[in-house]
Amino acid sequence: MIVERVDERGATALLDGLAALLTDTVAGGASVGFLAPLGHAEAAHWWRGRAAAVAAGELALWVARAGERVTGTVSLALPDKPNSRHRAELVKLMVSREARGQGLGRRLLTAAEEAAVAAGITLLHLDTETGSPAEHLYRSAGWTRVGTIPDYAAEPRGELRPTTLYYKQVGARPGAPAVAG
């Protein structure tokens, strides 16, 4: 299984696979911003927007594939303001149901974290559904829990669920000692 960063052309070429991954993720009950049932056309439309964000430099995108099949993805939403160039938001970490439990989520997370450090980003943040399996991944990877917001977003069936906020300091701030990760 390979994990690679893709550009707009790569995202567009993988559009059907990315849409299938998103529909599988939602069908599996993951709260990634969509309600069930999520159709392939709607998922593909959403991914076209992400490809445009990659082209605009607003999003960095990694895709995991087993052969030609897309099995996972993660993105970093990059800052657009001068006072936040040191941080990015980790978004849409997804692993297909059939590929879960094999360490792929950790590989995707590590790829995004390492790329952030290489780009000079020193602070990452994210939110995830409280009580989701993703929380264990983030805690075990050294992310710090900030707090919980009740009734933050609807899960795929429409029930409001809380979200938990996390952050992780990566790399070194200019003029500061390196932060252990």
Side-chain angles (χ1 to χ4, degrees):
M1 193 165 315
I2 63 165
V3 173
E4 62 185 348
R5 186 169 175 175
V6 297
D7 59 13
E8 176 192 20
R9 188 175 2 189
T12 301
L14 295 169
L15 191 65
D16 280 337
L18 288 165
L21 172 65
L22 180 55
T23 58
D24 175 71
T25 301
V26 172
S31 179
V32 290
F34 297 90
L35 298 175
L38 176 65
H40 188 83
E42 183 182 353
H45 175 76
W46 184 81
W47 276 110
R48 276 189 206 91
R50 302 301 60 83
V54 169
E58 300 165 353
L59 190 74
L61 173 65
W62 289 263
V63 175
R65 289 183 292 131
E68 295 304 309
R69 183 166 162 32
V70 174
T71 55
T73 187
V74 68
S75 299
L76 286 177
L78 303 170
D80 64 350
K81 296 174 190 68
N83 74 339
S84 59
R85 302 257 187 247
H86 66 288
R87 70 176 187 245
E89 182 179 8
L90 188 97
V91 294
K92 301 298 187 260
L93 175 59
M94 294 182 264
V95 175
S96 68
R97 288 183 281 179
E98 72 179 30
R100 290 182 189 159
Q102 301 172 31
L104 182 55
R106 177 147 335 251
R107 286 183 58 200
L108 287 161
L109 183 59
T110 299
E113 289 176 356
E114 289 175 353
V117 170
I121 292 169
T122 58
L123 180 66
L124 296 173
H125 62 97
L126 63 84
D127 70 88
T128 192
E129 183 180 345
T130 304
S132 70
E135 277 200 287
H136 173 73
L137 170 63
Y138 299 130
R139 284 191 309 268
S140 69
W143 288 70
T144 301
R145 181 182 180 276
V146 176
T148 301
I149 303 172
D151 296 340
Y152 185 78
E155 50 87 51
R157 294 176 319 228
E159 179 184 332
L160 290 178
R161 299 279 300 138
T163 196
T164 301
L165 306 175
Y166 286 87
Y167 75 91
K168 185 173 185 179
Q169 291 183 303
V170 295
R173 295 185 312 271
V179 177

